Amino acid sequence: MSRIKSSFLALFSLSLGAFAQGGESTPEVQPQQPKISYLDSIKATFVEHKIATCVDSLWMNELANSDLYTELSNDIRTINLDEKVDYELSTELLKKRLKEMDAKSPFNIEYNPALENLIKSFLKNRKKAYERLMALSEYYFPVFEESLAKYNVPLEIKYLAIVESALNPKAVSRVGATGLWQFMYQTGKEYNLDIDSYVDERSDPLKASDAAARYMSNMYKIFGDWDLVLASYNSGPGNVAKAIRRSGGQENFWNIRRNLPKETQGYVPAFLATMYIYTYHKEHGIVPNRAIIKHFATDTVAVRRQITFKQLSDLLDVPVSQLQLLNPSYKLNTIPAYTDQMHYLRLPVDKIGVFTSNEDKIYAYVEHEAARRERPFYQYTQQRDSARLASRDTASVKTEVADLQYHKVRRGETLGKISQRYGVSIAQLKKWNRLRSNSAPLGRKLRIYTDAKEDNTAVAATTPQPEKTEKTVATSEPKTTDAAKPDVYVVQKGDNLSSIARKFGITVTELKAWNNIEDNNVMLDARLKVKGEAIVADNTKQEPAVPSTSYIVQKGDNLSLIARKYGVTVAEIQEWNAIEGNSITVGSKLLILKENPKHDVAAAQKDAARQKHYLVKKGDSLFTIAKKSGVTVSDIKRWNGIKGDELQPGMKLKISG
């Protein structure tokens, strides 16, 4: 009872404290819910199969470890079989055990001093390695034995994979032999193992084991001796045949060993030594590391869409290392999708269930990830053009495919000037060239699609027209009376000054004057005055329309000759035709945008008169001269035919004004 009373008093005192603070109650703060990613939203809809499969990460790392391969391959290559090794194993006992092994095997297992030295060396120096290998073999040996039995090959040949690769499916030798069975590229192709940029089936335990068993079976038909089959597997049947001839026709491995390649001389003894250690490991105190699982249940599923191990790991909660172990033939950790060939994914059985039950959702996630990748610019423009043309067809608007041109931005040019010249909007220029600001990037070549209407307000003229002093409107739009005109217009997407002026029957000059606009740029959503005092436009400041002509380059032509012929400058021809150097090809068509040769000659003469020269002084550089003259280093090089960066005092450089 006293406990209840004390609790009540405590609660009452807390209530008084709350009232003492003005009676305001503190609102309960709701925890902010984290945003759910697309991956999480996909996985939340997965159908799950509750089958427990535990694959320890340490065991997975052990299965993929490459240290053993390096150690054993170095031993086989460098060991001296004639050097005696001090180890507690009597020769008589070894002979007895080898005889017992020979009785149970089709191999010729006989005592030999070289074999004794190798067995003692492995027992003395590689006990720990064999303890690890015996754990790995619990996973791989069942796969090997199934293939060997299929082609009636002795099951003991499973020990050869230890000598070849130390049971590492990703092992690659110094000469390029790859996989558990160390197939060379040409031999792998000969036995129908696929090898390309994505896939190398020499690393596939099932397919490579099948190919190795077929190879052994074929070689036995030639040599009729399993020791020689092993030697041919390492050095090739040709080297074995030569060793037999050089040994006077002898066909026992130990008799022809010294006539075989050096690596092969230790190869068959290493195989026999491994077989001995596996058979008598208990007698030598070798305790195999035990695999947490010997061969967990797996299955395969055909993959219909290219998918990466990282995506599979995220979706199925399977470590990437486990996917690499189960699918070692995929070189780039990516399962490709070919139109003429299926590829398969191996997974633990419970994950197979998740994959097959949610396949459509998995591929939807892959598509989502692919859409987020940055694409090459040409793909972006192709997709955009296709979408634009499709929308035009839907609207039943007759149009032609837009012509692509390039314009190199020169000093003093603005996006407004360029947009007026080509009859497009500033918004279009920015979109086509991924420009973030309204500044024209000096020296850059801009993509321009003429006859490109992206919406109803875009400018569609392919050739710029001079602005008239009279107030006119486009024939496609009804003339707006002064009484009906609004005072202010909000700039829409695709607008430019020309289109707005035509819409309201005014001139660009008036529009700029009423809104204090100095250049031809206009911002989206800007509010422009479209009424004001009439202003007479100064036509002398407007660029007249310039009809174009074309010239076919003849043999012997160069840009200077063509420029003089039409009264233009070389720089203008380069700009109009997007030519970077001075080289032109015979038969190519050049665009010339000048109508009156006399006028052009005069203009060219004026340009020449404006040209300045600079006398190089000691300490000058191209950079300092360009900075003084307000030009670029590349311009100075082009005008003066300079290829390097060296200058000599006294040189006279042409500086274009």
Side-chain angles (χ1 to χ4, degrees):
M1 187 70 182
S2 60
R3 183 181 300 173
I4 296 173
K5 185 176 180 181
S6 61
S7 299
F8 175 79
L9 289 174
L11 180 61
F12 182 73
S13 64
L14 287 173
S15 301
L16 286 177
F19 279 105
Q21 297 178 29
E24 294 180 0
S25 59
T26 304
E28 184 179 353
V29 179
Q30 296 292 333
Q32 187 175 1
Q33 295 295 326
K35 292 183 178 179
I36 299 177
S37 67
Y38 185 79
L39 173 64
D40 292 334
S41 64
I42 284 281
K43 291 173 68 175
T45 65
F46 275 7
V47 177
E48 296 285 350
H49 291 262
K50 303 296 182 183
I51 303 176
T53 300
C54 175
V55 182
D56 186 84
S57 60
L58 294 176
W59 168 232
M60 298 302 303
N61 292 336
E62 182 68 17
L63 285 169
N65 194 299
S66 61
D67 294 345
L68 292 176
Y69 169 71
T70 304
E71 294 171 2
L72 288 178
S73 58
N74 284 339
D75 273 357
I76 295 169
R77 245 190 354 260
T78 60
I79 197 167
N80 182 3
L81 296 179
D82 296 325
E83 181 180 343
K84 290 192 175 183
V85 179
D86 184 21
Y87 186 79
E88 294 181 1
L89 173 62
S90 68
T91 302
E92 291 304 317
L93 179 58
L94 178 61
K95 287 181 178 180
K96 177 185 176 184
R97 288 175 177 173
L98 291 176
K99 190 173 182 180
E100 291 173 353
M101 289 173 57
D102 183 63
K104 301 175 183 177
S105 172
F107 289 90
N108 298 316
I109 306 175
E110 299 176 358
Y111 170 80
N112 185 284
L115 178 58
E116 180 180 8
N117 293 333
L118 186 56
I119 290 173
K120 288 182 176 181
S121 175
F122 281 171
L123 289 171
K124 183 177 182 179
N125 303 310
R126 295 295 176 208
K127 270 191 177 182
K128 293 294 183 182
Y130 275 96
E131 287 176 352
R132 292 169 60 188
L133 285 168
M134 288 175 185
L136 293 173
S137 61
E138 292 187 32
Y139 177 78
Y140 285 112
F141 275 7
V143 177
F144 300 161
E145 290 171 347
E146 183 178 356
S147 294
L148 295 171
K150 179 180 176 182
Y151 295 97
N152 202 26
V153 174
L155 298 185
E156 290 91 335
I157 285 184
K158 64 189 179 186
Y159 299 117
L160 186 65
I162 295 174
V163 178
E164 287 285 356
S165 64
L167 300 181
N168 183 353
K170 290 289 190 180
V172 179
S173 76
R174 55 192 173 84
V175 295
T178 299
L180 289 163
W181 295 96
Q182 290 289 283
F183 275 102
M184 294 295 290
Y185 178 88
Q186 196 57 44
T187 310
K189 299 292 281 186
E190 183 182 342
Y191 280 83
N192 301 321
L193 296 178
D194 287 336
I195 306 169
D196 61 26
S197 297
Y198 278 107
V199 179
D200 191 341
E201 290 184 345
R202 293 178 294 176
S203 293
D204 186 302
L206 293 174
K207 294 183 178 180
S209 297
D210 184 85
R214 282 187 284 133
Y215 181 94
M216 302 289 181
S217 178
N218 292 338
M219 288 301 103
Y220 186 75
K221 294 173 184 176
I222 296 173
F223 294 107
D225 181 280
W226 288 111
D227 291 346
L228 298 184
V229 168
L230 295 182
S232 72
Y233 191 85
N234 179 256
S235 64
N239 283 324
V240 175
K242 284 187 283 187
I244 291 173
R245 286 194 294 270
R246 288 168 181 166
S247 303
Q250 298 184 77
E251 296 183 1
N252 181 283
F253 171 81
W254 297 101
N255 294 334
I256 69 170
R257 183 171 69 89
R258 297 192 181 279
N259 290 314
L260 289 168
K262 182 171 178 56
E263 185 175 330
T264 311
Q265 293 180 22
Y267 183 77
V268 173
F271 165 78
L272 295 174
T274 298
M275 191 190 305
Y276 171 85
I277 292 172
Y278 264 76
T279 305
Y280 293 100
H281 67 273
K282 292 180 182 178
E283 287 78 355
H284 291 287
I286 297 175
V287 180
N289 294 345
R290 305 309 299 173
I292 295 175
I293 46 174
K294 292 187 178 180
H295 187 77
F296 54 89
T298 63
D299 201 353
T300 57
V301 61
V303 174
R304 295 187 285 108
R305 176 76 165 79
Q306 181 170 306
I307 189 168
T308 67
F309 285 2
K310 175 65 168 59
Q311 290 168 336
L312 287 166
S313 177
D314 291 340
L315 288 163
L316 303 178
D317 296 323
V318 179
V320 170
S321 60
Q322 184 172 340
L323 292 170
Q324 291 171 329
L325 170 73
L326 295 176
N327 304 274
S329 61
Y330 298 117
K331 295 157 62 173
L332 304 180
N333 287 348
T334 297
I335 303 174
Y338 301 161
T339 55
D340 58 342
Q341 183 181 357
M342 292 301 298
H343 289 103
Y344 296 87
L345 168 66
R346 181 171 292 277
L347 291 169
V349 288
D350 64 321
K351 298 301 181 181
I352 283 286
V354 176
F355 187 97
T356 54
S357 299
N358 304 280
E359 198 165 357
D360 291 340
K361 298 172 187 176
I362 289 172
Y363 292 137
Y365 174 73
V366 173
E367 292 286 354
H368 171 76
E369 289 287 291
R372 294 173 58 190
R373 289 201 308 267
E374 181 178 352
R375 291 171 294 161
F377 186 64
Y378 77 89
Q379 289 186 6
Y380 161 78
T381 55
Q382 284 179 342
Q383 183 175 355
R384 183 210 55 215
D385 294 342
S386 299
R388 184 172 67 235
L389 293 173
S391 64
R392 290 179 181 180
D393 292 340
T394 304
S396 301
V397 178
K398 294 181 179 179
T399 185
E400 295 180 358
V401 177
D403 292 326
L404 173 62
Q405 296 186 37
Y406 289 90
H407 176 86
K408 187 174 182 180
V409 179
R410 307 189 71 179
R411 186 173 298 279
E413 286 187 326
T414 64
L415 291 184
K417 286 183 180 180
I418 298 170
S419 68
Q420 280 193 324
R421 176 173 182 174
Y422 291 96
V424 296
S425 70
I426 294 174
Q428 287 173 311
L429 281 178
K430 291 173 69 175
K431 182 177 179 182
W432 293 331
N433 297 281
R434 292 190 175 183
L435 301 178
R436 295 182 179 272
S437 70
N438 289 323
S439 300
L442 182 64
R444 178 171 164 185
K445 287 185 178 178
L446 300 181
R447 299 170 68 95
I448 298 172
Y449 291 87
T450 56
D451 191 31
K453 288 190 277 190
E454 291 200 347
D455 51 54
N456 294 332
T457 59
V459 179
T462 56
T463 306
Q465 299 297 325
E467 295 174 4
K468 301 180 181 179
T469 56
E470 302 87 83
K471 296 179 180 179
T472 59
V473 291
T475 56
S476 60
E477 298 178 6
K479 185 172 181 177
T480 307
T481 64
D482 288 343
K485 283 183 184 178
D487 292 329
V488 175
Y489 174 74
V490 179
V491 178
Q492 308 295 317
K493 181 181 176 183
D495 278 344
N496 63 21
L497 293 180
S498 297
S499 65
I500 297 170
R502 286 201 303 273
K503 185 182 297 246
F504 293 98
I506 59 179
T507 66
V508 171
T509 305
E510 290 174 323
L511 195 57
K512 291 168 72 173
W514 296 337
N515 294 279
N516 295 321
I517 298 174
E518 294 183 357
D519 55 19
N520 291 308
N521 295 335
V522 61
M523 299 296 293
L524 184 67
D525 296 329
R527 297 171 66 84
L528 300 182
K529 294 179 182 178
V530 291
K531 271 187 181 181
E533 191 174 336
I535 297 172
V536 178
D538 183 2
N539 285 339
T540 60
K541 294 182 181 179
Q542 302 294 332
E543 286 190 18
V546 182
S548 64
T549 185
S550 59
Y551 177 75
I552 306 298
V553 178
Q554 309 295 319
K555 186 175 181 180
D557 275 344
N558 59 40
L559 290 179
S560 297
L561 289 174
I562 299 170
R564 285 200 297 271
K565 182 173 182 177
Y566 285 94
V568 297
T569 65
V570 170
E572 286 176 319
I573 296 178
Q574 289 173 326
E575 178 186 339
W576 298 331
N577 297 276
I579 299 173
E580 299 224 346
N582 292 315
S583 300
I584 51 177
T585 306
V586 174
S588 61
K589 182 186 288 186
L590 298 181
L591 182 68
I592 308 294
L593 295 180
K594 291 291 182 180
E595 182 180 23
N596 188 343
K598 292 182 180 178
H599 170 77
D600 297 337
V601 170
Q605 289 172 347
K606 287 181 182 178
D607 288 341
R610 288 198 301 267
Q611 286 180 352
K612 298 185 296 183
H613 290 85
Y614 180 85
L615 195 64
V616 178
K617 303 180 185 64
K618 186 176 180 181
D620 277 340
S621 68
L622 288 175
F623 176 75
T624 57
I625 297 170
K627 190 174 180 182
K628 287 179 187 176
S629 307
V631 296
T632 64
V633 172
S634 59
D635 284 336
I636 296 177
K637 286 185 174 182
R638 178 161 54 83
W639 294 330
N640 296 276
I642 298 174
K643 293 189 177 180
D645 293 321
E646 294 184 2
L647 293 176
Q648 296 294 331
M651 288 177 63
K652 191 175 183 181
L653 298 181
K654 184 170 68 174
I655 308 294
S656 180

